[in-house]
Amino acid sequence: MIHSKTGSNRRILTFPAVQPCKSISVTTLLDSLIQLAGDILTFKQKHFSTNKRSFQKTIRQIQNLAIVLEEIRIRVGSPPRRYFPGVSSLSEIHVIFQKLKFLLEDCTRDGARLCMVTSSDQVSDHLKVLTLSISTSLSAFPVSFVDLPSEVNELIDLVVQQARKHVVRPDSDDKKVIDSVNQVLALFENRVSPDPDEINRILDHVGIRTWGDCVKEVNFLGEEIEAERLENKKKNNNSNNARVELLSSLMGFICYCRCVILNKRDHHHHRDESELRVHEDLFRGIKVEDLLCPISLEIMTDPVVIETGHTYDRSSITKWFGSGNITCPKTGKILTSTELVDNVSVSHVIQNHCRANGVVLAINSRKRKGHGDVAPNSLAAKGAGRLIARFLTSELITNGDEETVYRALREIRVLTKTGSFNRSCLVEAGCVSPLINLLTSEDSRIQENAMAGLLNLSKHAAGKGEIAGEGLGLIVEILNEGAKTETRLYAASALFYLSSVEDYSLLIGENADAIPGLMRIVTGDEYGDSAKRNALLAVMGLLMQPENHWRVLAAGAVPALLDLLRDEETGGELTADCLATLAKLAEYPDGTIGVIRRGGLKLAVKILSSSEASPAVKQHCVGLVLNLCLNAGNDVVGVLVKDSVVMGSLYTVISNGEYGGSKKASALIRMIHEYQERKTGSVEPSFQRGRFIHAW
């Protein structure tokens, strides 16, 4: 059997056909041809987004040709190739069949429908060449060499004549649809809302009928845009070519359809009760944070398992290994192999979760690196984005039912996640205030999606200002009393982004419930490592302002983090974050006192000396010990001198080559040497501070 390239990763309207080898037997070639013909005939019942009539005629010709091939297979038997001159013609037909199958796949492909109808002329040209090639190859077949029945010979003549006379051109309906699409894009450029009935006619023609269909179109167009950019980059062509501009305009068109036109007739919201029960059973016991990559803290798009059994997003763990790390990020265990195995079961759970919650995943980074935050490349796409933002904002402020509000929130959540341009449009449209007001909703779905939208808008400069000015108090309230765990985690992440601005960081710190709320997530048994790390990042953000230092200490951060270190498996990322936070707290004397009095120095030395601790853990551990030495002086250095393993651990950190860690480790080594020299000479160290040894 001959295997042709599957085409699963190929660009549309490319035909990577495989030429049969010259030594192939005629029976093997005929078997493969018959199989290919059968594959082509399966497209008979599928929906074609363009050139429907021409494809139907071609499929009928292939149906007749399949009968001919079956008859030839019966008559030919298995003679060597030199006795059968028809192998050359059959090989040519094999290549034509492969290309025709690729073309059929493109014109019936879910996600590529809008793109294909706009390429109807190009599709017609390809189909015309292929049908004529069938006629040419078949007419060259040595019919006289095979003892075929007269009716089969007549069928061959019929297929040849049909192929020659077959007039391939775009359907008139295709041309009307293309004209309509261009008219809608022109309206978008002028920020004018198009007629919904006209858009529905376009969608019905190409076969886009649900919200989910639009999501597939968006993902496909994103892949095409990124592929075009990469191709331009290879050719050193940085200009915004017409192809990228068209694809970007189509992206704006389909996003408008998803948010405005199809939002209310999506079957996703009207599934029967049995299907809903299946989804409930599937997700029972699963937390959203279980679907997050431990490295990026984002929902995984391509989950893979490493040697330790832990799952990561492929792009994140590949980058981790590419940086020279040979350990498991979660456990710190040294790996004997960096082989990645697809985690199919987790991938299915993530896909079902996203469908059930209206979440659009970023496309696999192997295909679309960096696509998630690319600005529109056409006036039409920009105009569509502003119209969408205006429409969704109006849906929030009108007195619609809860389902209408929920659908709008779902779209806002998707849009704010997938690009800074969308965030800018929504902020300009006045979306922040309605989102803040919806945080008080008793519907947990509405509250969660409103908080998710605000989290994403908190990444936008103007969005930060509006959120901090109007909604900081409510966000802190959600942090502590949100209806769902996910909602509380979104609030914690929003506080992290807001804390990047000095004034907002101070406002958060002044709220008496903010830091304690974050620490409850850090210490809560119901939260996983990803959630705890998110909360710790927010705390670290607040610690950038000295005024918040005492507030974090007052919230019990030191004992809580030390308890986590004692419970956490050495080497994990949570361990590194705990140590980084403690190191920041220990920059001040009161933080140093808190760490030492609760056994923090002893614990830090133990972790530093551990052979299982990751380089990142040891680096933050060195930072903590250095700050303890700077503030507590002679007492802490004296403890380090008594531990024979410490010096070796510090030299190990230096040899790992991390600049920050190496510098701090070198400073500690100098302190220890200075201490030993002065001790020998009965001279007190210059860095001696207060006495803390009794508290150790």
Side-chain angles (χ1 to χ4, degrees):
M1 188 62 64
I2 299 172
H3 298 283
S4 61
K5 192 169 181 177
T6 62
S8 57
N9 295 320
R10 67 181 177 86
R11 298 285 304 279
I12 57 167
L13 299 181
T14 59
F15 313 111
V18 177
Q19 181 74 36
C21 63
K22 294 181 179 180
S23 60
I24 190 171
S25 70
V26 66
T27 52
T28 300
L29 182 56
L30 282 166
D31 287 339
S32 185
L33 274 169
I34 291 168
Q35 181 178 321
L36 271 174
D39 293 343
I40 290 171
L41 294 179
T42 61
F43 288 90
K44 186 175 182 179
Q45 304 302 324
K46 295 187 178 182
H47 181 94
F48 289 91
S49 53
T50 182
N51 286 269
K52 181 178 180 179
R53 295 184 182 87
S54 296
F55 277 116
Q56 287 174 339
K57 290 180 181 178
T58 300
I59 289 174
R60 284 196 294 269
Q61 293 171 15
I62 300 302
Q63 192 168 9
N64 290 332
L65 189 52
I67 297 172
V68 173
L69 293 171
E70 291 277 6
E71 192 64 35
I72 295 175
R73 176 66 179 85
I74 294 171
R75 303 279 175 168
V76 165
S78 305
R81 184 178 182 277
R82 62 179 179 273
Y83 298 116
F84 192 80
V87 168
S88 177
S89 297
L90 294 177
S91 296
E92 291 175 4
I93 294 174
H94 192 282
V95 172
I96 295 167
F97 275 14
Q98 292 179 62
K99 293 181 178 181
L100 180 59
K101 184 181 175 183
F102 285 137
L103 186 59
L104 289 165
E105 288 174 351
D106 291 342
C107 294
T108 57
R109 176 176 173 177
D110 287 339
R113 299 187 182 281
L114 187 62
C115 188
M116 292 308 299
V117 76
T118 58
S119 304
S120 61
D121 286 336
Q122 193 176 354
V123 171
S124 295
D125 291 340
H126 285 300
L127 186 56
K128 185 185 301 182
V129 170
L130 292 175
T131 53
L132 287 174
S133 298
I134 290 174
S135 171
T136 302
S137 299
L138 195 56
S139 61
F141 181 77
V143 177
S144 59
F145 193 83
V146 185
D147 184 19
L148 295 174
S150 58
E151 59 269 20
V152 175
N153 287 325
E154 291 174 2
L155 192 56
I156 292 175
D157 292 337
L158 177 64
V159 171
V160 171
Q161 293 301 319
Q162 286 178 339
R164 286 176 179 172
K165 294 179 179 179
H166 187 188
V167 179
V168 181
R169 56 172 171 263
D171 296 347
S172 58
D173 291 340
D174 290 348
K175 294 182 178 180
K176 291 178 182 177
V177 165
I178 294 171
D179 289 341
S180 295
V181 169
N182 289 330
Q183 290 170 11
V184 170
L185 295 181
L187 291 174
F188 284 160
E189 290 181 4
N190 295 303
R191 302 187 195 179
V192 177
S193 298
D195 179 5
D197 291 336
E198 186 64 27
I199 289 185
N200 277 316
R201 282 192 287 272
I202 296 171
L203 298 178
D204 289 339
H205 177 81
V206 298
I208 299 174
R209 298 183 175 88
T210 68
W211 186 90
D213 290 340
C214 286
V215 171
K216 293 175 183 177
E217 296 284 322
V218 168
N219 290 339
F220 171 79
L221 288 168
E223 292 178 8
E224 283 295 298
I225 290 171
E226 184 61 20
E228 287 290 338
R229 287 201 179 101
L230 289 174
E231 194 171 314
N232 288 341
K233 188 175 181 180
K234 289 178 182 177
K235 297 176 181 178
N236 293 322
N237 178 14
N238 296 320
S239 62
N240 184 18
N241 65 19
R243 176 66 177 169
V244 172
E245 186 173 340
L246 172 62
L247 291 171
S248 186
S249 296
L250 295 180
M251 176 79 86
F253 176 91
I254 205 66
C255 285
Y256 183 89
C257 295
R258 187 190 73 199
C259 297
V260 180
I261 305 299
L262 294 181
N263 209 342
K264 295 184 180 180
R265 62 166 171 137
D266 184 8
H267 300 301
H268 164 76
H269 295 289
H270 303 283
R271 296 174 295 182
D272 57 42
E273 293 183 3
S274 62
E275 187 179 351
L276 288 172
R277 283 197 295 271
V278 169
H279 280 281
E280 289 174 0
D281 291 340
L282 178 65
F283 298 122
R284 187 175 290 119
I286 294 178
K287 301 176 182 177
V288 173
E289 61 196 67
D290 295 330
L291 309 180
L292 305 181
C293 173
I295 299 174
S296 67
L297 301 182
E298 299 284 350
I299 292 181
M300 291 179 282
T301 60
D302 189 10
V304 292
V305 180
I306 64 172
E307 184 183 278
T308 58
H310 291 285
T311 299
Y312 301 89
D313 207 2
R314 184 184 296 273
S315 60
S316 298
I317 192 65
T318 300
K319 186 176 181 180
W320 170 265
F321 290 149
S323 300
N325 300 298
I326 55 171
T327 58
C328 171
K330 203 171 177 74
T331 66
K333 179 182 177 182
I334 297 176
L335 304 174
T336 59
S337 170
T338 57
E339 181 183 1
L340 305 178
V341 179
D342 291 336
N343 194 328
V344 178
S345 58
V346 170
S347 181
H348 287 164
V349 171
I350 289 173
Q351 290 170 12
N352 286 322
H353 165 77
C354 292
R355 279 196 295 268
N357 294 276
V359 177
V360 177
L361 281 179
I363 294 303
N364 191 316
S365 59
R366 287 177 292 175
K367 298 178 182 178
R368 285 171 60 196
K369 185 178 180 181
H371 166 70
D373 197 28
V374 176
N377 286 93
S378 71
L379 288 175
K382 293 176 181 178
R386 291 186 170 90
L387 288 172
I388 292 168
R390 189 192 308 165
F391 171 81
L392 293 176
T393 302
S394 68
E395 291 284 274
L396 298 184
I397 60 180
T398 55
N399 294 322
D401 56 66
E402 288 185 345
E403 280 302 316
T404 298
V405 172
Y406 169 68
R407 284 193 294 264
L409 286 171
R410 182 184 66 172
E411 296 300 339
I412 289 171
R413 178 177 180 174
V414 170
L415 290 172
T416 54
K417 180 70 175 177
T418 55
S420 58
F421 174 77
N422 292 328
R423 291 193 281 269
S424 176
C425 290
L426 286 161
V427 171
E428 290 175 8
C431 189
V432 172
S433 292
L435 287 176
I436 291 172
N437 293 335
L438 289 170
L439 292 179
T440 60
S441 172
E442 295 180 359
D443 187 323
S444 62
R445 300 177 309 157
I446 289 178
Q447 187 185 82
E448 178 191 358
N449 282 277
M451 190 63 249
L454 287 169
L455 161 60
N456 295 330
L457 291 177
S458 68
K459 302 171 186 178
H460 185 271
K464 280 185 174 71
E466 291 189 35
I467 293 170
E470 299 180 38
L472 186 56
L474 275 175
I475 291 175
V476 172
E477 188 177 322
I478 293 295
L479 173 71
N480 290 282
E481 301 175 10
K484 297 171 69 175
T485 300
E486 293 81 6
T487 311
R488 298 194 290 275
L489 296 182
Y490 294 146
S493 297
L495 292 179
F496 164 71
Y497 285 107
L498 293 175
S499 68
S500 64
V501 178
E502 180 178 349
D503 291 343
Y504 306 152
S505 180
L506 294 174
L507 285 175
I508 295 169
E510 290 169 1
N511 188 304
D513 297 322
I515 295 175
L518 291 170
M519 291 308 304
R520 269 192 288 275
I521 293 177
V522 173
T523 58
D525 293 335
E526 69 272 29
Y527 299 103
D529 285 1
S530 295
K532 294 176 186 292
R533 290 190 65 212
N534 271 340
L536 274 178
L537 284 174
V539 172
M540 282 289 288
L542 295 174
L543 284 173
M544 293 299 106
Q545 302 306 318
E547 292 87 343
N548 288 327
H549 178 85
W550 70 269
R551 297 184 176 108
V552 176
L553 288 176
V558 170
L561 294 177
L562 290 174
D563 286 344
L564 267 179
L565 286 175
R566 293 184 179 101
D567 295 338
E568 170 73 1
E569 189 176 341
T570 304
E573 288 186 320
L574 183 57
T575 296
D577 290 339
C578 288
L579 288 167
T581 307
L582 286 169
K584 189 68 180 175
L585 289 169
E587 288 180 359
Y588 296 88
D590 50 355
T592 293
I593 293 172
V595 171
I596 293 179
R597 284 182 175 174
R598 290 170 176 81
L601 176 59
K602 182 177 180 180
L603 181 60
V605 171
K606 179 182 176 182
I607 294 173
L608 182 62
S609 304
S610 171
S611 60
E612 296 182 357
S614 68
V617 166
K618 290 196 174 187
Q619 180 180 344
H620 291 303
C621 197
V622 167
L624 170 59
V625 174
L626 178 61
N627 287 339
L628 295 177
C629 288
L630 291 173
N631 283 307
N634 190 37
D635 291 337
V636 174
V637 179
V639 171
L640 298 180
V641 169
K642 293 176 183 178
D643 194 319
S644 59
V645 183
V646 169
M647 287 294 282
S649 300
L650 292 175
Y651 280 114
T652 299
V653 172
I654 292 175
S655 67
N656 283 336
E658 293 287 345
Y659 176 74
S662 298
K663 198 172 181 180
K664 292 174 183 177
S666 298
L668 274 174
I669 290 172
R670 284 196 300 271
M671 282 185 173
I672 292 172
H673 285 160
E674 180 185 345
Y675 176 89
Q676 291 172 328
E677 292 171 0
R678 296 190 181 208
K679 195 74 173 177
T680 303
S682 300
V683 179
E684 283 295 310
S686 61
F687 49 81
Q688 179 177 354
R689 302 283 179 89
R691 295 285 180 178
F692 292 94
I693 195 67
H694 65 280
W696 197 80

